[in-house]
Amino acid sequence: MTSVFRCVTLALMLLAVAGCATLEGKDRLQVPVGTGYYSLQWQWPGEPVQIWQDIRWSPKAQQAKNREFVVSVLLENERLLLVALSPLGNELFRSELTASGHRFKGSEFLEEPRVALQVWADMQLSLWPLETVNAHLSSLTLKQTSSRRTITDNGELIWSSGVQMNTNGKIQNNQRDYELTVNTLQYEVLNNDEN
């Protein structure tokens, strides 16, 4: 009986470790969206860009508190880097997406990598080319009008964004019950020359 228990425990531990490993693989960085998910991209499909944005996170729950932070985002063909800072300049977290997966470094203020992955998802759904996003969005389709991108699930609006490259706007995530107000502080196309 004890050996059976040990075998079952060992099998469960191996499954848990295998499950954790697949979450970190480059093809497995998935963020839930409606009844499906979005597979995060690790490449920026344009010229390298550095963006500084002031973000105000407003949860819809009345007892929850609004949060403000600044993000520095580097978008390159070989990697994506996001550093979130508090208004006082303390680093909240650092998140990097590359071909080898996701690297996350939290702080005493924020140790949850899922927050970084959700920030990446909101950013990619807002800024990446529509056809690229839809190729990595399961079950649902991102639609674009002249000023907004939206995702609906069974006729219900679950996500929308008025944020475009080098602009201010709002991202509304009805599934997760929050709104992001994005103010672009600096946007710079980086020199791609290798001298």
Side-chain angles (χ1 to χ4, degrees), residues 82-118:
L82 183 145
V83 178
L85 305 168
S86 74
L88 297 175
N90 296 319
E91 187 171 302
L92 300 174
F93 66 82
R94 179 177 298 259
S95 173
E96 183 177 36
L97 298 173
T98 64
S100 60
H102 180 231
R103 285 194 299 216
F104 176 84
K105 180 183 176 200
S107 68
E108 62 184 89
F109 306 104
L110 185 63
E111 296 180 359
E112 181 52 64
R114 285 182 293 182
V115 172
L117 297 179
Q118 186 65 54

Side-chain angles (χ1 to χ4, degrees), residues 20-66:
C20 290
T22 60
L23 287 175
E24 287 301 313
K26 66 180 178 184
D27 298 325
R28 299 292 183 184
L29 289 172
Q30 299 171 341
V31 176
V33 177
T35 54
Y37 60 87
Y38 174 69
S39 294
L40 290 171
Q41 305 307 294
W42 57 271
Q43 293 179 302
W44 169 243
E47 292 294 317
V49 175
Q50 173 80 46
I51 307 170
W52 284 87
Q53 294 177 320
D54 180 55
I55 309 277
R56 181 177 178 90
W57 179 72
S58 305
K60 292 185 179 177
Q62 290 183 348
Q63 70 275 17
K65 199 167 121 174
N66 291 343

Side-chain angles (χ1 to χ4, degrees), residues 12 25 37 39 56 68 71 90 109 111 160 162-163 181 188 192:
L12 289 174
Y37 60 87
S39 294
R56 181 177 178 90
E68 265 191 72
V71 294
N90 296 319
F109 306 104
E111 296 180 359
S160 70
V163 176
T181 303
E188 182 181 358
N192 206 14

Side-chain angles (χ1 to χ4, degrees), residues 7-184:
C7 289
V8 169
T9 303
L10 181 60
L12 289 174
M13 285 176 44
L14 288 173
L15 281 173
V17 169
C20 290
T22 60
L23 287 175
E24 287 301 313
K26 66 180 178 184
D27 298 325
R28 299 292 183 184
L29 289 172
Q30 299 171 341
V31 176
V33 177
T35 54
Y37 60 87
Y38 174 69
S39 294
L40 290 171
Q41 305 307 294
W42 57 271
Q43 293 179 302
W44 169 243
E47 292 294 317
V49 175
Q50 173 80 46
I51 307 170
W52 284 87
Q53 294 177 320
D54 180 55
I55 309 277
R56 181 177 178 90
W57 179 72
S58 305
K60 292 185 179 177
Q62 290 183 348
Q63 70 275 17
K65 199 167 121 174
N66 291 343
R67 302 276 184 209
E68 265 191 72
F69 53 97
V70 174
V71 294
S72 169
V73 183
L74 178 63
L75 305 176
E76 297 178 307
N77 191 17
E78 295 301 319
R79 74 174 181 145
L80 308 174
L81 176 65
L82 183 145
V83 178
L85 305 168
S86 74
L88 297 175
N90 296 319
E91 187 171 302
L92 300 174
F93 66 82
R94 179 177 298 259
S95 173
E96 183 177 36
L97 298 173
T98 64
S100 60
H102 180 231
R103 285 194 299 216
F104 176 84
K105 180 183 176 200
S107 68
E108 62 184 89
F109 306 104
L110 185 63
E111 296 180 359
E112 181 52 64
R114 285 182 293 182
V115 172
L117 297 179
Q118 186 65 54
V119 172
W120 278 122
D122 286 334
M123 182 175 295
Q124 291 185 15
L125 291 169
S126 295
L127 303 179
W128 264 239
L130 193 63
E131 56 280 353
T132 302
V133 170
N134 280 324
H136 294 92
L137 189 60
S138 78
S139 304
L140 304 169
T141 303
L142 179 68
K143 296 184 179 166
Q144 172 129 23
T145 64
S146 60
S147 62
R148 294 200 74 70
R149 287 184 168 194
T150 59
I151 299 174
T152 56
D153 193 0
N154 293 323
E156 181 182 344
L157 180 68
I158 59 169
W159 185 92
S160 70
S161 173
V163 176
Q164 298 173 4
M165 192 59 75
N166 198 17
T167 65
N168 302 330
K170 292 189 183 213
I171 297 172
Q172 186 149 354
N173 190 323
N174 294 333
Q175 181 179 9
R176 303 269 178 259
D177 288 329
Y178 67 81
E179 179 179 88
L180 297 176
T181 303
V182 179
N183 179 21
T184 300

